[in-house]
Amino acid sequence: MANYSTFVFLLLPLLLHIRYVRSELQLNYYSESCRRAEEIIKEQVATLYHKHGNTAVSWIRNLFHDCMVKSCDASIYLDTANGVESEKESPRNFGMRNFKYIETIKQALEKECPNTVSCADIVALSARDGLFWLGGPRIEMRTGRKDSKESYLAEVEKYLPNHNDSMSFVLSQFQSIGIDTEGTVALLGAHSVGRVHCVNLVHRLYPTVDPTIDPDYARYLKGRCPSPDPDPEAVLYSRFDRETTMILDNMYYKNLLNNKGLLIVDQELVNDPNTSPFVEKMAADNGYFHEQFARALLILSENNPLTGDQGEIRKVCRYLNSA
């Protein structure tokens, strides 16, 4: 009994700390320090979307690649410099792009409110606003995150699921940050927009075609990726969804039910008995998909944030303030 009491006594401060850190995030965090902060981000995301439509996809992908690795702290934005090894160098982050436009958003904020809005909050809010331009639900996000003072290159592969991992592993990774199976299936629906480089596809096509791929779809993919050894620097890719290319909708799940999943992890959603019922439900109801996607995205966006005296507010998202 004494050992149990000691355990509870030691555990209680940790639980209170976790609850306190999350509670420091709040709606309209910048209402006094930078009144137009969220409006500026919204304006910049809209402007960039109309110039470069794929930026909206990048913002959602950035949130996933940043927040899954330890914390939503903009560590993904750091360049390799002054002893920092960038997470961008990890094979798990292959194909990520449009980082330069984050600085466009940051510069607009710095002009209005110097040293006030964190890059980590830009990660979250740009994903929120990018989601809107892709036809997704309008959601509200709490803010108040601080930026990491370090990069976690060595730990990216520990936290970030790969496209050919088993579904049980993928589910366990999401569950570790509080996202359930239903939410995981919904978040993978982000694959209804964007594209995949042939480097990540050819193992399903060569030397023999993965038998789970629809034959007509396989022929299309071979046309997009004609070589088993594609050049990583070449523009060789296939889009996740050929019908509603830049709309975040449930066509992704309809494609999966027709054996047209682009990545192994996509098709595994149908093959795994834990996830397939949710695939069928989302394929039948776009509103349900959007509802679950919004719920899971909010959980992801609040994974272990740095708040209060933790971290810093970078002046330039690519570099630490001390650089």
Side-chain angles (χ1 to χ4, degrees):
M1 186 69 177
N3 288 339
Y4 175 77
S5 299
T6 301
F7 173 74
V8 171
F9 177 76
L10 292 173
L11 182 62
L12 186 58
L14 175 60
L15 295 176
L16 289 174
H17 172 71
I18 293 172
R19 183 175 181 181
Y20 175 69
V21 166
R22 284 190 177 272
S23 71
E24 283 196 19
L25 296 181
Q26 56 188 267
L27 293 174
N28 303 311
Y29 176 84
Y30 297 106
S31 60
E32 294 184 8
S33 60
C34 188
R35 184 176 56 83
R36 293 196 64 249
E38 294 197 25
E39 194 63 30
I40 289 170
I41 294 173
K42 193 175 296 182
E43 291 168 358
Q44 291 294 320
V45 167
T47 298
L48 287 165
Y49 171 76
H50 287 107
K51 290 182 178 178
H52 315 281
N54 58 29
T55 54
V57 180
S58 296
W59 306 149
I60 295 175
R61 193 176 181 194
N62 285 352
L63 183 74
F64 169 68
H65 283 252
D66 185 54
C67 293
M68 283 297 293
V69 181
K70 299 195 73 169
S71 170
C72 288
D73 57 10
S75 60
I76 184 68
Y77 288 159
L78 289 171
D79 279 353
T80 296
N82 300 303
V84 172
E85 290 186 285
S86 177
E87 293 173 26
K88 300 171 191 174
E89 304 297 328
S90 171
R92 294 287 167 91
N93 291 325
F94 170 74
M96 294 191 67
R97 52 191 179 146
N98 291 322
F99 290 115
K100 62 183 178 182
Y101 296 123
I102 283 297
E103 298 298 349
T104 301
I105 299 174
K106 179 63 170 171
Q107 287 166 15
L109 290 164
E110 286 295 305
K111 183 177 180 180
E112 180 90 5
C113 309
N115 307 316
T116 303
V117 181
S118 70
C119 299
D121 277 339
I122 296 175
V123 172
L125 296 178
S126 62
R128 177 197 69 179
D129 297 332
L131 176 62
F132 170 78
W133 287 107
L134 293 170
R138 170 68 78 182
I139 60 178
E140 295 300 322
M141 283 186 171
R142 299 194 294 174
T143 44
R145 301 164 187 78
K146 296 295 176 62
D147 300 326
S148 169
K149 292 183 179 180
E150 57 185 317
S151 175
Y152 310 113
L153 174 61
E155 300 182 69
V156 170
E157 295 193 16
K158 173 183 175 183
Y159 290 98
L160 203 60
N162 202 12
H163 59 87
N164 55 7
D165 283 330
S166 68
M167 185 51 59
S168 61
F169 179 76
V170 172
L171 291 174
S172 70
Q173 290 298 90
F174 279 99
Q175 286 165 0
S176 72
I177 65 168
I179 297 176
D180 58 17
T181 300
E182 189 176 26
T184 300
V185 176
L187 278 184
L188 283 171
H191 287 177
S192 71
V193 291
R195 63 189 192 180
V196 175
H197 197 284
C198 290
V199 165
N200 291 327
L201 297 179
V202 289
H203 60 287
R204 299 194 71 197
L205 303 173
Y206 303 100
T208 57
V209 174
D210 182 335
T212 65
I213 303 177
D214 172 80
D216 289 338
Y217 189 52
R219 281 189 287 274
Y220 163 77
L221 293 178
K222 277 197 163 187
R224 300 296 303 175
C225 305
S227 168
D229 188 26
D231 179 357
E233 302 298 322
V235 183
L236 295 168
Y237 65 87
S238 176
R239 294 197 176 276
F240 279 109
D241 178 0
R242 296 161 60 194
E243 296 184 53
T244 55
T245 306
M246 291 294 288
I247 300 176
L248 187 95
D249 62 9
N250 65 342
M251 183 58 70
Y252 167 74
Y253 302 101
K254 295 175 182 179
N255 286 334
L256 296 186
L257 293 175
N258 289 318
N259 295 314
K260 294 180 180 179
L262 196 55
L263 299 173
I264 288 178
V265 71
D266 297 320
Q267 203 58 50
E268 279 300 301
L269 286 175
V270 178
N271 299 335
D272 190 293
N274 295 305
T275 55
S276 60
F278 296 119
V279 171
E280 293 176 1
K281 191 173 179 180
M282 291 180 194
D285 189 341
N286 193 59
Y288 165 67
F289 160 54
H290 278 178
E291 175 186 313
Q292 295 304 316
F293 186 90
R295 178 181 68 86
L297 195 72
L298 285 173
I299 296 172
L300 178 62
S301 74
E302 295 186 3
N303 180 36
N304 193 30
L306 304 178
T307 60
D309 294 333
Q310 300 173 306
E312 65 181 10
I313 296 175
R314 293 182 212 139
K315 289 184 67 65
V316 178
C317 292
R318 292 180 297 156
Y319 304 116
L320 300 177
N321 290 341
S322 58

